[in-house]
Amino acid sequence: MGRPKTPLLSLARMASAALDIVDSDGLDGLSMRRLATVLGVQVASLYNHVKNKDQLLHEISNQIMAQVDVTGFHDGDWRTGVATWARSYRAALRAHPNMVPFLATGPARRETSLARADAVHGGLVAAGWPPRQATLIGASTKYLVIGAAMTSFARGFDDDVQVYVDRYPHLGQAHKLRAHADEIDDEAFELALLSFLDGLERQFTEVREAR
Amino acid sequence: MGRPKTPLLSLARMASAALDIVDSDGLDGLSMRRLATVLGVQVASLYNHVKNKDQLLHEISNQIMAQVDVTGFHDGDWRTGVATWARSYRAALRAHPNMVPFLATGPARRETSLARADAVHGGLVAAGWPPRQATLIGASTKYLVIGAAMTSFARGFDDDVQVYVDRYPHLGQAHKLRAHADEIDDEAFELALLSFLDGLERQFTEVREAR
DNA sequence: ACCTCCAAACGAACACTGTTCGCTAACATA
DNA sequence: TATGTTAGCGAACAGTGTTCGTTTGGAGGT
């Protein structure tokens, strides 16, 4: 067949189609052959635009991480900075839940991830936090976001009552959870985030008074 | 060859060997063929003891979750209950970091997981929390633990300075993180956990006064 | 205009994966 | 003693990521 007059593929088109597959059929549902079929192309052609399947997934990851908002630090208020960062971070992950296991694993060497980390750390230090504390806050917040995106707590329970009755006395209502899954997950995340920020606030005043 | 005089395999032996492989070579490093080789056996034989590779992984997961300690609720003190639960939960996951992606994904239908959830929820309610709050606390705590186990924040950075210098002004010290990776991860987890518990404590007194 | 080099498609193959099938031989039970 | 179940084995199947050599279009240089 040879080289076509106008290119059939592009990195953007591939990443977009791949993300569609992952969104609808999970991470395991994405195979290079299936992606090729969707794009109307043969498998080997994909490797002209991507070195690896891994690289393709990183490409998608960058796309997702670009949605994370770190502008909340601009006015020097660290609390709203962390809050908007955490919320937009979680929202970006929840938009593509099947990608979360990949996003959360492995080193954060991705471009966009590092850029976000840089902005957060810089924002916290500029607001008056010692570097060490800024690091810890960044880490803790990331834990919370990743955990919340990874594990939809409420969806982890079965609709069927029989699973719980008799065997787990305190989980009698657990099957109802799935109906309000999103609601509960949202509330649990907000609860953790706000109480965390409250805790930090107290610590922050101590830091300021120590000077 | 036929049936051997004494069984060569057992579920326990398989799970144990499989976990060894996962611990040393990652989740992807575990293949049924390799597991069979390690056990001095042919692949097909494994399927006499396990229906699936998935079932094998669930077996391992149960083994790990059994390490989680929920006895802290026994004396009615919810705060130490949650704290010991969270810490032992995290410790169990950190002991086998490569298993975390599997443990964290998918519904928590596993026996041992449900038993733990039951104990936690029961403990919180017994201590005076309304069921709804108990659910949220369970969820939030799980988020934190899963996130902390999933993402070793500090290990996510590169040892090489050149990665950061010039490009990310606020991450100039980031390469030093890896040296104290464990220390930082521990502190970040404790920071999040304690400030979360503090936040809950304030909320709890409000709940009591409302009665 | 010609020649060269690179880019982007293809088809075929390789090594690997999880899983199933039919076969055999030992044990457990009636 | 006969029967059925259990736990090994070998071979095969469909599917995976990836690489190789080949073909051909287009861009750049002389």
Side-chain angles (χ1 to χ4, degrees), chain B residues 3 29 36 38 52 75 101 105 123 149 165 168 182-183 196 203:
Chain B
R3 187 178 185 179
V38 166
N52 258 344
D75 58 357
T105 339
V165 164
Y168 306 108
D182 289 345
E183 188 187 321
F196 175 58
Q203 202 176 316

Side-chain angles (χ1 to χ4, degrees), chain A residues 108-109 111 118 121-122 132 140 143 147 151 156 158 167-168 170 183 185 187-188 191 195-196 198 202-203, chain B residues 108-109 111 118 121-122 132 140 143 147 151 156 158 167-168 170 183 185 187-188 191 195-196 198 202-203:
Chain A
R109 272 184 254 277
E111 280 298 318
D118 186 59
H121 194 266
R132 172 82 175 199
S140 303
Y143 293 164
T151 322
D158 206 298
R167 296 157 69 200
Y168 305 107
H170 305 297
E183 188 187 320
D185 279 327
E187 272 189 53
L191 170 66
S195 55
F196 175 58
D198 284 350
R202 256 202 319 280
Q203 202 175 316
Chain B
R109 272 185 254 277
E111 281 299 318
D118 186 59
H121 194 267
R132 171 83 176 199
S140 303
Y143 292 164
T151 322
D158 206 298
R167 296 159 68 199
Y168 306 108
H170 305 296
E183 188 187 321
D185 280 326
E187 272 189 54
L191 170 65
S195 55
F196 175 58
D198 284 350
R202 256 203 319 283
Q203 202 176 316

Side-chain angles (χ1 to χ4, degrees), chain B residues 147-162:
Chain B
M150 192 85 191
T151 322
S152 172
F153 180 82
R155 293 197 183 281
F157 290 93
D158 206 298
D159 271 332
D160 185 6
V161 209
Q162 302 301 355

Side-chain angles (χ1 to χ4, degrees), chain B residues 65-99:
Chain B
M65 289 300 292
Q67 307 297 317
V68 178
D69 179 9
V70 288
T71 62
F73 291 98
H74 285 177
D75 58 357
D77 180 11
W78 63 268
R79 194 179 161 120
T80 65
V82 172
T84 65
W85 170 49
R87 291 198 180 106
S88 69
Y89 195 170
R90 173 169 177 262
L93 298 185
R94 289 297 288 272
H96 307 281
N98 295 336
M99 278 297 296

Side-chain angles (χ1 to χ4, degrees), chain A residues 8 23 33 39 62 74 79 82 85-86 99 165 167 173:
Chain A
L8 304 179
D23 280 343
R33 279 175 174 83
L39 293 170
N62 273 327
H74 286 177
R79 194 180 160 117
V82 171
W85 169 49
M99 277 297 296
V165 165
R167 296 157 69 200
Q173 309 294 316

Side-chain angles (χ1 to χ4, degrees), chain B residues 54-70:
Chain B
D54 221 57
Q55 195 193 97
L56 177 63
L57 290 172
H58 279 295
E59 192 64 33
I60 299 174
S61 303
N62 273 326
Q63 220 168 273
I64 294 177
M65 289 300 292
Q67 307 297 317
V68 178
D69 179 9
V70 288

Side-chain angles (χ1 to χ4, degrees), chain A residues 4-210:
Chain A
K5 315 194 173 185
T6 70
L8 304 179
L9 293 176
S10 76
L11 193 67
R13 226 167 78 77
M14 284 175 55
S16 164
L19 182 53
D20 284 348
I21 295 178
V22 171
D23 280 343
S24 58
D25 284 19
L27 213 48
D28 292 341
L30 174 67
S31 79
M32 297 304 268
R33 279 175 174 83
R34 180 167 172 200
L35 177 59
T37 306
V38 166
L39 293 170
V41 120
Q42 294 301 107
V43 207
S45 311
L46 301 177
Y47 289 85
N48 286 321
H49 301 261
V50 164
K51 189 179 160 249
N52 258 344
K53 183 182 182 180
D54 222 56
Q55 195 192 96
L56 177 63
L57 290 172
H58 279 294
E59 191 65 33
I60 300 173
S61 303
N62 273 327
Q63 221 168 274
I64 294 177
M65 289 300 292
Q67 307 297 318
V68 178
D69 179 10
V70 287
T71 62
F73 291 97
H74 286 177
D75 57 357
D77 179 11
W78 64 268
R79 194 180 160 117
T80 65
V82 171
T84 64
W85 169 49
R87 292 198 180 107
S88 69
Y89 195 171
R90 174 170 177 261
L93 299 186
R94 290 298 287 271
H96 306 282
N98 295 336
M99 277 297 296
V100 176
F102 180 85
L103 275 156
T105 341
R109 272 184 254 277
R110 278 182 292 268
E111 280 298 318
T112 34
S113 300
L114 287 174
R116 298 298 175 282
D118 186 59
V120 169
H121 194 266
L124 287 169
V125 170
W129 283 99
R132 172 82 175 199
Q133 303 302 313
T135 301
L136 296 181
I137 294 172
S140 303
T141 311
K142 193 176 172 189
Y143 293 164
L144 180 60
V145 170
I146 297 284
M150 191 85 191
T151 322
S152 172
F153 180 81
R155 294 199 182 281
F157 289 94
D158 206 298
D159 272 332
D160 186 6
V161 208
Q162 302 301 352
V163 179
Y164 307 103
V165 165
D166 292 337
R167 296 157 69 200
Y168 305 107
H170 305 297
L171 297 181
Q173 309 294 316
H175 65 286
K176 294 186 185 167
L177 283 179
R178 293 210 44 190
H180 327 78
D182 289 345
E183 188 187 320
I184 295 205
D185 279 327
D186 288 350
E187 272 189 53
F189 176 73
E190 285 295 324
L191 170 66
L193 178 61
L194 292 179
S195 55
F196 175 58
L197 290 176
D198 284 350
L200 288 183
E201 197 109 49
R202 256 202 319 280
Q203 202 175 316
F204 187 65
T205 58
E206 288 174 20
V207 170
R208 300 222 76 157
E209 286 164 4

Side-chain angles (χ1 to χ4, degrees), chain B residues 22-66:
Chain B
V22 171
D23 280 343
S24 57
D25 284 18
L27 213 48
D28 291 342
L30 175 66
S31 79
M32 297 304 267
R33 278 175 175 82
R34 181 167 172 200
L35 176 60
T37 306
V38 166
L39 293 169
V41 119
Q42 294 301 107
V43 208
S45 309
L46 301 178
Y47 289 85
N48 286 321
H49 302 260
V50 165
K51 188 179 160 247
N52 258 344
K53 183 182 182 180
D54 221 57
Q55 195 193 97
L56 177 63
L57 290 172
H58 279 295
E59 192 64 33
I60 299 174
S61 303
N62 273 326
Q63 220 168 273
I64 294 177
M65 289 300 292

